[in-house]
Amino acid sequence: MAKYIYPKIPPSAIEAAPIELAPQSRSRREALAALAAGAGAACLAPHSIAQPTSLRAPSSTSSPTPPRFRRNTAMSVSEAPNSWEEITTYNNFYEFGLDKGDPSERSGSFKPTPWSVEIAGEAAKPGRYTLEDILRPHALEERIYRFRCVEAWSRVVPWLGIPLRDVLARFEPNSRAKYVEFTTLLDPKQFPGQRSRVIDWPYVEGLRIDEAMHPLTLLTVGLHGRWLPNQSGAPLRLIVPWKYGFKSIKSIVKIRFTERQPATSWNKAAPDEYGFFANVNPAVDHPRWSQAKERRLGGGLFGARVDTLPFNGYANEVASLYRGLDLRRFY
Ligand code: MTE
């Protein structure tokens, strides 16, 4: 497999997140509910919801047999993982609704197979690839990662996936590929939440190419030894363990290599609250709450409050990616 050497991007080349909106006193959920109802939608560009146009279903389906994988203990934390129940019944997946229980309760009829992913932009091998094409050459790994939501809750999850860089390298990104953009399926028939203007659908996220090519970044297809359930982002999601959970986009249908920093959903919706980088940082508070501590789910009704670690505990592995970057400004 061709080894991809990613371009080094100087901090000066990175676009600043515009800081415009005044901090709001409402919770994120309340603010979203208001947006969905049309109130306060001034910060969202008006848009119409399009029907899905690009997805062409491949003829084969994903195997119903359990995934085969090897445990990567060297890339895993030693903390005890949360249970399947804890990981799959308290979710953020606004395409199914705003409540934490909506994704598990409302995603039953979602069809994650057949599935394909469009590869686009600055690469030698763009095209549409079935999920099977994408997974076939790779061995699945289990990695136990910490997961920290920007809302100050956290958990520990045994994910199953493939290092994203191994997959991306197959499409041969060129030297103009400085960022990678990811897009979730747009399909209001399957995603009831996309019928309301919560954010500018479809959900879009992005990484700098060196972040995408970092060995910790995982293209994820399962958890707890099973294929991803719908509420967790079936069949294919991103996991970037040193970043707030909103970077971990679910149900991906498009990956695009770009020269310019992609416009990402939460950054567009509330740029003063959600930066492009979104590195977990206890020293930089969200405008409406502290990020110094987090509630570890599973430890009783409210969960144990524990200190949040810089880069979610992965500083040794990733801090060097941001040398010279002002993390207060590029939050
Ligand atoms: N991806 C999509 N497409 N839609 C979403 O609403 N929510 C994000 C992220 N990925 C979201 C998404 C947020 S805010 C978080 S915290 C995580 O998914 C939650 O992942 P989990 O439900 O598996 O814990």
Side-chain angles (χ1 to χ4, degrees):
M1 186 181 304
K3 198 162 162 37
Y4 177 67
I5 311 289
Y6 54 78
K8 283 266 175 243
I9 302 168
S12 57
I14 295 158
E15 290 162 39
I19 299 177
E20 286 162 0
L21 300 184
Q24 297 159 16
S25 57
R26 291 172 296 183
S27 75
R28 187 181 194 212
R29 204 181 140 270
E30 283 166 343
L32 283 168
L35 286 173
C43 63
L44 293 179
H47 70 290
S48 58
I49 293 173
Q51 293 298 313
T53 51
S54 56
L55 204 74
R56 287 275 172 283
S59 53
S60 55
T61 57
S62 165
S63 164
T65 54
R68 289 163 60 91
F69 61 92
R70 71 173 181 91
R71 295 218 149 92
N72 187 335
T73 44
M75 305 277 279
S76 293
V77 296
S78 53
E79 289 146 271
N82 283 88
S83 66
W84 171 271
E85 179 83 7
E86 285 161 354
I87 298 168
T88 62
T89 58
Y90 186 93
N91 297 99
N92 279 337
F93 199 168
Y94 294 117
E95 285 84 340
F96 290 115
L98 301 182
D99 282 326
K100 296 286 184 277
D102 286 342
S104 54
E105 284 161 21
R106 303 173 76 187
S107 63
S109 57
F110 180 75
K111 295 219 173 337
T113 57
W115 196 265
S116 63
V117 179
E118 182 189 343
I119 306 294
E122 301 292 350
K125 295 188 170 167
R128 183 168 294 285
Y129 295 82
T130 66
L131 184 61
E132 293 76 8
D133 289 336
I134 288 174
L135 300 184
R136 195 174 298 115
H138 305 281
L140 281 187
E141 293 180 20
E142 180 181 75
R143 297 180 180 191
I144 304 174
Y145 281 167
R146 289 185 209 96
F147 184 90
R148 168 63 155 84
C149 177
V150 73
E151 297 163 341
W153 54 265
S154 66
R155 57 177 157 231
V156 177
V157 185
W159 300 111
L160 298 182
I162 303 159
L164 178 67
R165 65 178 184 173
D166 293 350
V167 177
L168 295 188
R170 286 169 51 206
F171 308 119
E172 300 177 13
N174 61 41
S175 61
R176 285 184 302 278
K178 300 197 171 97
Y179 295 88
V180 189
E181 178 192 79
F182 304 85
T183 307
T184 292
L185 174 69
L186 179 65
D187 184 355
K189 288 200 185 100
Q190 294 206 78
F191 284 141
Q194 288 181 345
R195 294 175 214 148
S196 324
R197 282 201 292 165
V198 177
I199 57 170
D200 194 5
W201 307 112
Y203 197 102
V204 172
E205 258 309 334
L207 295 173
R208 231 170 45 182
I209 192 84
D210 57 345
E211 299 174 321
M213 294 294 187
H214 191 279
L216 281 171
T217 306
L218 203 65
L219 195 60
T220 303
V221 295
L223 65 91
H224 266 302
R226 293 156 68 173
W227 298 109
L228 282 176
N230 293 341
Q231 63 267 38
S232 299
L236 195 65
R237 75 176 292 180
L238 187 66
I239 291 295
V240 195
W242 70 95
K243 291 182 179 282
Y244 291 120
F246 67 87
K247 299 297 286 186
S248 295
I249 181 173
K250 298 177 170 183
S251 305
I252 296 166
V253 291
K254 185 169 178 186
I255 299 178
R256 188 168 70 95
F257 297 96
T258 67
E259 194 162 13
R260 307 265 314 188
Q261 181 176 303
T264 53
S265 291
W266 285 109
N267 186 238
K268 274 197 324 189
D272 64 331
E273 302 194 15
Y274 310 108
F276 174 81
F277 283 93
N279 293 318
V280 175
N281 191 342
V284 176
D285 288 338
H286 184 277
R288 291 181 281 124
W289 58 81
S290 164
Q291 295 291 24
K293 288 188 180 286
E294 64 204 52
R295 188 166 57 90
R296 179 59 60 84
L297 297 183
L301 186 57
F302 298 107
R305 297 235 322 142
V306 296
D307 288 342
T308 289
L309 301 172
F311 298 105
N312 203 22
Y314 298 94
N316 286 345
E317 291 84 0
V318 301
S320 62
L321 297 180
Y322 308 102
R323 203 165 283 140
L325 195 69
D326 178 353
L327 296 177
R328 286 198 168 271
R329 189 160 166 235
F330 298 102
Y331 49 90

